[in-house]
């Protein structure tokens, strides 16, 4: 048969739709528009396959049989009726993995979200006198109590916090930033672009590796409104380097009545060195050293929901809260519920590291990880045809925190004679739920730092169905 005949033998969209309804496999409630779209997509796919076929043999394999097309349409409809946002198993070992949803919430935070979603609440209602209240009160007092800050404001994310700070306090004026801190963070947060969006004019000082206090001083004019420091997050300048400290910058800012903004990025509350982790500047340290405004993400090392926390001088924070942009970037009630519950954990810092999943994973006992790895390796070995070895490896914190530090971890390295490493990776990604892992030296690496005990069985099951060819 020739291509033309193949194409001619395909049913029309309308006939295919009729055939789908005749087969009665789909539920009666499936929207007709969805069936139509799926039928169109399936026919288009077959048509493209026919056009692309290079020889008779490939062509022969393409079915134009209506019954088979009906099955394809049914599958397409089912795929489209699945939720797009799905649970995955994170076996990458990257704790704050932006592509996989950053921080997981604690049990208490999840309960708070469930309450805020299921029941009416006092979001903006003062129970004392029955009048209208502010949604910020639920977080303000707690944030100030925890950090000693004068005032607090929470917005949609840290990008919004930076934009709001710059717009409110430096629009139409100059902001001085070190060239070593003009960062771009994954997913389109580029400091110079945020700056121009705010209407502030960026004044770069120093060089990539060295910026001195004197460089800042020299750049100050009558137009200067702010000095900004940004955490370099996902990169480090190493070797021959120098940066002015917050303390030094605070002194300069005082002298010229400028605002000193410190974008911390990750927002670490507890001293990580106490848990054997490398030092990250904490929120309190920045405030104590004299930053007027400090901002950070809620879902990086803080371990809460997406959000942007702003702390600092009350006159500055209040002006930001009153700015029209604040309404556009305000937080929702589910975020407030999760954030309040997360912050509550920090009232007991010892337990916080256990209860907040992000901190628990970062500070996990290597012996626990090793045991988990052994458990998984044993399960996989019983699958036959798989080689699973418990190996020492390193995980990353992610989220722009501790970028150069690698945390010693335990993982399971897997190979199979049946599949190459990239095929294994692909098949794990197609499992239900998908298992996300990395490849190293032609082996699949399943890092136990970000895998829960109850997920070990899920990973084993994904391999099992793969090896038995069920998927
Ligand atoms: C991550 C990060 C941001 C952006 O924070 P989001 O909460 O993702 O909006 C801004 N600045 C720094 C330094 C960061 O590390």
């Amino acid at each position: 048969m020739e291509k033309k005949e193949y194409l001619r033998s395909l049913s029309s969209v309308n006939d295919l739709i009729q055939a789908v309804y005749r087969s009665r496999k789909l539920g009666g409630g499936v929207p007709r528009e969805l069936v139509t779209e799926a039928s169109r997509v399936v026919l288009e796919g077959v048509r493209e396959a026919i056009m692309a076929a290079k020889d008779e043999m490939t062509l022969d394999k393409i079915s134009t049989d209506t019954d088979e097309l009906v099955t394809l349409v049914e599958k397409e409809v089912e795929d489209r009726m699945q939720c797009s946002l799905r649970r995955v198993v994170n076996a990458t070992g990257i704790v704050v993995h932006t592509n996989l949803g950053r921080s997981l919430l604690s049990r208490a935070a999840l309960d708070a979200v469930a309450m805020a979603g299921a029941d009416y609440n006092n979001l903006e209602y003062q129970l004392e006198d029955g009048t209208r209240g502010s949604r910020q009160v639920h977080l303000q007092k707690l944030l100030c109590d925890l950090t000693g800050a004068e005032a607090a404001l929470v917005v949609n994310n840290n990008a919004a916090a930076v934009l709001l700070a710059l717009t409110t306090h430096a629009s139409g004026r100059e902001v001085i930033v070190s060239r070593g801190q003009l960062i771009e963070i994954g997913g389109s947060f580029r400091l110079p672009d945020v700056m121009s969006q705010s209407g502030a004019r960026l004044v770069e000082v120093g060089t990539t590796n060295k910026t001195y206090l004197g460089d800042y001083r020299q750049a100050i004019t009558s137009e200067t409104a702010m000095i900004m420091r940004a955490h370099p997050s996902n990169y480090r300048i190493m070797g021959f380097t120098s940066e002015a400290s917050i303390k030094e910058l605070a002194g300069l800012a005082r002298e010229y009545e400028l605002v000193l903004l410190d974008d911390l990025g990750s927002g670490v509350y507890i001293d990580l060195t106490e848990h054997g982790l490398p030092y990250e500047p904490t929120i309190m340290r920045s405030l104590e050293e004299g930053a007027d405004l400090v901002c950070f993400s809620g879902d990086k090392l803080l371990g809460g929901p997406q959000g942007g926390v702003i702390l600092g001088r009350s006159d500055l924070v209040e002006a930001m809260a009153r700015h029209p942009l604040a309404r556009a970037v305000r937080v929702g009630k589910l975020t407030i519920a999760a954030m309040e519950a997360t912050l509550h954990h920090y009232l007991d810092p010892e337990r916080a590291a256990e209860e907040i999943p992000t901190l628990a994973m970062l500070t996990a006992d290597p012996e626990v990880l090793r045991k988990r790895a052994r458990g998984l390796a044993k399960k996989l070995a019983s699958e036959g045809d798989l080689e699973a070895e418990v190996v020492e490896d390193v995980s990353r914190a992610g989220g722009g925190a501790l970028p150069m530090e690698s945390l010693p971890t335990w993982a399971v390295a897997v190979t199979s004679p049946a599949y190459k490493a990239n095929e294994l990776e692909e098949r794990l990604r197609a499992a239900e739920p998908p298992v996300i892992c990395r490849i190293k030296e032609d082996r699949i690496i399943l890092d136990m730092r970000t895998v829960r005990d109850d997920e070990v069985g899920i990973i084993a099951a994904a391999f099992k169905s793969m090896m038995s060819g069920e998927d």
Side-chain angles (χ1 to χ4, degrees), residues 102 157-159 183 185 189 231 233 263-265 297 299-300 307:
R102 290 196 182 161
N157 58 8
N158 191 31
I183 49 170
I185 293 150
F189 179 91
H231 189 294
S233 293
D263 174 10
L264 279 175
S297 293
D299 53 355
K300 291 183 179 171

Side-chain angles (χ1 to χ4, degrees), residues 391-412:
V391 295
E392 258 189 298
D393 205 21
V394 287
S395 358
R396 300 242 177 251
L402 315 167
M404 288 301 140
E405 316 296 342
S406 35
L407 314 166
T409 189
W410 289 93
V412 181

